[in-house]
Amino acid sequence: MTALSADHHPDQQFARQWAEARSGAFDAAFARRFEEHFPVLHGLFRRIYGERADGREALAEVVDLAAQSWQDRPAPLKRHDEHRAERPDWFESAQMLGGVCYVDRYAGSLAALHEHIGYFQELGLTYLHLMPLFRSPEGNNDGGYAVSSYREVDPQLGTMAELADLAAALREAGISLVVDFIFNHTSSEHEWAQKAVAGEPGYEDFYLIFEDRTLPDAYERTTREIFPDDHPGSFVQLPDGRWIWSTFYHFQWDLNYANPAVFRAMAGEMLFLANQGVEVLRMDAVAFIWKRLGTACESLPEAHLLLQAFNEVLRMAAPSLLFKSEAIVHPDEVIQYISPGECQISYNPLQMALTWEALATRDASLLQQALERRHALPAGTAWVNYVRSHDDIGWTFADEDAAELGIDGFAHRRFLNDFYVGRHPGSFARGAAFQENPRTGDARVAGTTASLAGIEKADAGGEDRVVLAHALAMSTGGMPLLYLGDEVAQLNDYYYRNRPGEAGDSRWVNRPHRPAESYQVRRDERTVAGRVFTRLTHLLQVRRETPEFAGNELIGFHEPHRSVLGFQRPGGAGVQARGGVTRVLVLANVGDDPVHVDAVTLSGFEVLAEDLIGGGTRDLREGLELPAHGIRWLRVSERVTTPA
Ligand code: GLC
């Protein structure tokens, strides 16, 4: 094998000698990837853990784990790795469509999910995120985000073998399985947690435990409260009087990544999941994984280094796996997690929140600004565009962006919260407040798409808004992600208030059980479910057939009405390579009144445009009607002016 580095630092030398000693045992494929990725991983370890001997030991163990994991990787997954390597941009295609659901709520069990694969194919899903399905505490377990074992499936849902079977069946159907990697914290019932509080050697430093309030008080001077309804601050007290870091619920204890043994342990869990056939890991709560006194303890540089290091481990042992970032933070921070070497795909929380913002204000300016300014991504990465998730909607736009448009961020968030929980006069929305913090005035909003958009309240624009919001998620660039059940306009589920494990967490309002009756009538356009389903599935089909929607490139298009959002999609490299000069012009009206887009505004294009949604062609010399809450996807060509 080639030398890893010319650097003669003792630590580098150690690494080289050690790697050379090991490499004999590797198969050719692993050895090649090891050569490429080990130096990077080693560099990252040194940046995170310095020259610590335990850092070096953990690194050696991680590589051994990776080598073993590759050896154990089932042959079909190795073939799949090769297949993906032939098309590394597979997730940027216009054919991608994600779906998300809870196993129990949607199907009952992992075994029963097989019955829905036919429907997923009918929808065109290529990606399925199953909400947390690991063993977790009885009662409130934060919807499974408190994990007691990463190697055991919640027995009520099935077994790990069934998960692997399902992964294989989905892969066969062209659908990638996505599960959460909840790596910021474990449940307090996890074996490591139990051992840590018991002071078992090797585990004392797996979590952040403090004898008294001195350090917790010092940290809390600069951290923010995430779940204030559950406990103030970032710490909870143990029965013995000590304090333990818990960013989210009191039963979710943050892991201590400053301890290299924690990295090693979690790398083992990650590799285990990779070999079950999981194709994408949703990296939960990435912003919180590193803490430093005097900072917000969010999005610190080490959080990125850790993600990169996990990524390098995967590249060696499960090369086709992707990371999806879940960073619901300031847009400047969201973007930092997205790169080929860190998280290749990411939720797009800004577009999600501003879609709702635009619908409430009937003004597309803030969304237009965000699309023009904050949508671009590094090559080899993609957004995951969603209308809503299993979580609340947080208004994570940048105050400085809003200020440029004369909007005060704080007051605007207040308005949006009031609007979406239905307190604002004339609001069409029925949402629930989540984690309202009287001390800071902060709050977020929960609700299904249909309930937030006005269908629950029987507002005349409700159905159109559901369609419009999804149409945007399908057209700005990136993979649309559907919350399954929203395509048949499922409404809020208020029964959570009667379910003891859920009553205190209003996000359950937007996690209903599979709306079987709505699915039954999905072909009947006399029903709301039928109309929404028909319109959405039509859009999905058009999207799949529109190569301009691949990739992420977006060019703003200005239409003078404030309620109109406009942008152009030139398509990915594929479209350009075919000599295409077409683009898709997207025009959306978030207002309650129709808008006439005049001919002058459209005069930069050839006169005939293909109406992708409505069919036929449009003569742009006549201008265009945009109905209230209407959207158009037009295939246009730039006007070629012949020299006089
Ligand atoms: C993520 C999840 C959310 C959970 C939190 C803590 O934000 O989406 O549901 O409560 O992480 O794990």
Side-chain angles (χ1 to χ4, degrees):
M1 72 172 276
T2 54
L4 290 163
S5 157
D7 184 348
H8 289 296
H9 186 282
D11 197 45
Q12 288 285 54
Q13 257 177 14
F14 151 82
R16 193 170 63 236
Q17 284 160 5
W18 171 84
E20 275 166 8
R22 283 289 202 287
S23 63
F26 299 155
D27 73 14
F30 188 86
R32 224 178 311 111
R33 293 198 303 273
F34 174 81
E35 265 181 50
E36 183 184 344
H37 295 285
F38 178 75
V40 186
L41 180 62
H42 179 230
L44 289 164
F45 254 69
R46 285 184 58 195
R47 287 174 69 192
I48 303 168
Y49 300 115
E51 310 295 335
R52 288 165 55 167
D54 61 345
R56 214 183 290 166
E57 280 158 27
L59 174 64
E61 287 172 14
V62 166
V63 174
D64 284 344
L65 273 174
Q68 187 60 48
S69 178
W70 172 251
Q71 233 174 56
D72 300 343
R73 190 157 171 83
L77 296 180
K78 290 187 175 177
R79 281 199 297 277
H80 198 62
D81 290 331
E82 283 169 20
H83 175 68
R84 290 300 196 209
E86 287 159 18
R87 279 231 35 206
D89 63 347
W90 62 277
F91 56 91
E92 295 171 55
S93 109
Q95 264 81 48
M96 288 298 291
L97 172 64
V100 53
C101 67
Y102 285 88
V103 175
D104 54 341
R105 299 191 158 221
Y106 201 80
S109 66
L110 288 172
L113 248 171
H114 287 262
E115 290 159 30
H116 297 278
I117 294 179
Y119 172 68
F120 297 156
Q121 287 183 294
E122 174 193 326
L123 265 184
L125 290 197
T126 58
Y127 165 118
L128 179 67
H129 173 202
L130 296 180
M131 295 298 295
L133 39 72
F134 303 101
R135 189 158 68 73
S136 57
E138 284 293 309
N140 186 3
N141 50 36
D142 191 19
Y145 280 97
V147 177
S148 302
S149 164
Y150 298 91
R151 300 194 184 217
E152 285 166 78
V153 165
D154 172 353
Q156 287 174 5
L157 306 179
T159 62
M160 198 45 88
E162 285 174 337
L163 182 68
D165 279 352
L166 180 66
L170 289 168
R171 202 164 49 249
E172 191 66 23
I175 303 171
S176 300
L177 175 63
V178 186
V179 302
D180 284 85
F181 192 51
I182 301 148
F183 71 123
N184 173 68
H185 45 265
T186 71
S187 97
S188 52
E189 292 179 10
H190 193 287
E191 188 191 332
W192 304 337
Q194 296 295 310
K195 289 182 173 170
V197 286
E200 198 166 303
Y203 292 90
E204 312 95 316
D205 294 332
F206 258 55
Y207 300 82
L208 295 133
I209 305 177
F210 301 93
E211 289 302 322
D212 57 37
R213 283 290 312 176
T214 317
L215 276 167
D217 284 341
Y219 277 111
E220 280 177 0
R221 260 171 238 134
T222 47
T223 58
R224 70 185 168 117
E225 293 180 326
I226 305 300
F227 281 2
D229 285 0
D230 184 67
H231 63 277
S234 305
F235 299 83
V236 293
Q237 195 164 26
L238 295 170
D240 63 13
R242 291 180 299 165
W243 294 84
I244 189 158
W245 200 305
S246 80
T247 299
F248 297 92
Y249 276 110
H250 60 278
F251 48 79
Q252 288 164 307
W253 294 350
D254 291 42
L255 286 161
N256 174 22
Y257 279 96
N259 174 5
V262 169
F263 183 93
R264 192 213 70 86
M266 284 308 282
E269 307 310 80
M270 177 180 77
L271 292 172
F272 174 82
L273 291 174
N275 277 1
Q276 308 310 306
V278 170
E279 290 192 52
V280 179
L281 286 172
R282 173 193 179 277
M283 306 302 278
D284 184 61
V286 291
F288 297 93
I289 59 177
W290 193 268
K291 336 286 190 200
R292 181 175 307 117
L293 202 59
T295 71
C297 296
E298 286 184 44
S299 294
L300 290 170
E302 288 84 352
H304 295 283
L305 300 178
L306 286 166
L307 282 163
Q308 289 161 23
F310 277 125
N311 203 70
E312 291 303 320
V313 175
L314 272 185
R315 297 285 79 83
M316 290 193 255
S320 62
L321 216 113
L322 297 184
F323 280 171
K324 172 191 184 183
S325 153
E326 192 249 349
I328 314 301
V329 287
H330 189 287
D332 287 346
E333 284 172 39
V334 173
I335 192 85
Q336 287 167 12
Y337 292 94
I338 313 172
S339 69
E342 200 165 324
C343 295
Q344 296 78 20
I345 58 178
S346 166
Y347 278 116
N348 191 348
L350 183 63
Q351 181 179 315
M352 184 277 292
L354 291 183
T355 298
W356 291 108
E357 188 270 347
L359 290 173
T361 56
R362 282 82 163 172
D363 183 334
S365 318
L366 208 49
L367 180 56
Q368 178 84 32
Q369 181 205 48
L371 285 175
E372 288 176 17
R373 183 177 294 181
R374 296 189 179 272
H375 189 73
L377 284 181
T381 64
W383 287 117
V384 175
N385 294 317
Y386 60 119
V387 174
R388 61 92 165 196
S389 70
H390 68 288
D391 278 332
D392 48 292
I393 299 174
W395 308 108
T396 57
F397 59 82
D399 281 8
E400 47 295 7
D401 291 358
E404 282 179 33
L405 299 174
I407 299 167
D408 173 71
F410 184 79
H412 202 50
R413 285 189 186 87
R414 277 250 153 129
F415 157 73
L416 291 166
N417 283 323
D418 283 347
F419 188 93
Y420 278 107
V421 303
R423 283 184 209 139
H424 188 81
S427 166
F428 52 71
R430 288 237 175 103
F434 177 65
Q435 302 290 337
E436 226 168 355
N437 191 338
R439 217 170 43 75
T440 58
D442 184 38
R444 283 109 79 184
V445 170
T448 65
T449 303
S451 290
L452 292 177
I455 292 183
E456 188 178 323
K457 226 181 153 186
D459 182 88
E463 290 175 28
D464 289 346
R465 286 191 202 95
V466 171
V467 174
L468 177 61
H470 283 99
L472 289 178
M474 288 180 215
S475 56
T476 55
M479 180 200 322
L481 174 63
L482 198 62
Y483 193 101
L484 290 169
D486 278 9
E487 75 280 21
V488 288
Q490 66 191 338
L491 298 175
N492 283 347
D493 170 14
Y494 296 102
Y495 291 105
Y496 81 94
R497 294 179 185 143
N498 307 326
R499 292 190 282 257
E502 300 168 13
D505 189 329
S506 60
R507 290 173 301 174
W508 289 105
V509 86
N510 56 232
R511 302 168 180 173
H513 287 258
R514 179 176 178 276
E517 285 165 19
S518 305
Y519 276 116
Q520 249 157 35
V521 297
R522 70 181 187 275
R523 308 247 173 247
D524 181 351
E525 291 188 40
R526 288 166 309 179
T527 65
V528 175
R531 285 190 295 274
V532 169
F533 183 79
T534 305
R535 292 171 70 186
L536 286 182
T537 46
H538 175 58
L539 290 177
L540 287 171
Q541 190 189 338
V542 173
R543 177 179 192 275
R544 273 194 294 277
E545 294 164 357
T546 305
E548 290 90 338
F549 282 147
N552 197 56
E553 202 185 330
L554 177 148
I555 303 161
F557 180 83
H558 286 271
E559 207 290 336
H561 291 86
R562 292 181 79 90
S563 68
V564 176
L565 180 76
F567 56 88
Q568 306 170 69
R569 296 296 317 287
V575 180
Q576 284 147 18
R578 283 201 299 276
V581 285
T582 59
R583 297 171 172 190
V584 170
L585 170 67
V586 176
L587 290 168
N589 177 11
V590 295
D592 294 338
D593 301 307
V595 168
H596 179 79
V597 180
D598 65 31
V600 176
T601 307
L602 300 166
S603 59
F605 302 114
E606 291 293 338
V607 292
L608 291 185
E610 195 181 335
D611 185 340
L612 299 177
I613 302 175
T617 47
R618 302 258 158 200
D619 187 333
L620 299 184
R621 284 170 299 193
E622 292 161 16
L624 261 180
E625 287 303 309
L626 266 185
H629 327 115
I631 183 138
R632 294 210 188 266
W633 292 344
L634 299 166
R635 179 171 282 130
V636 294
S637 326
E638 238 173 294
R639 177 162 231 159
V640 188
T641 40
T642 31

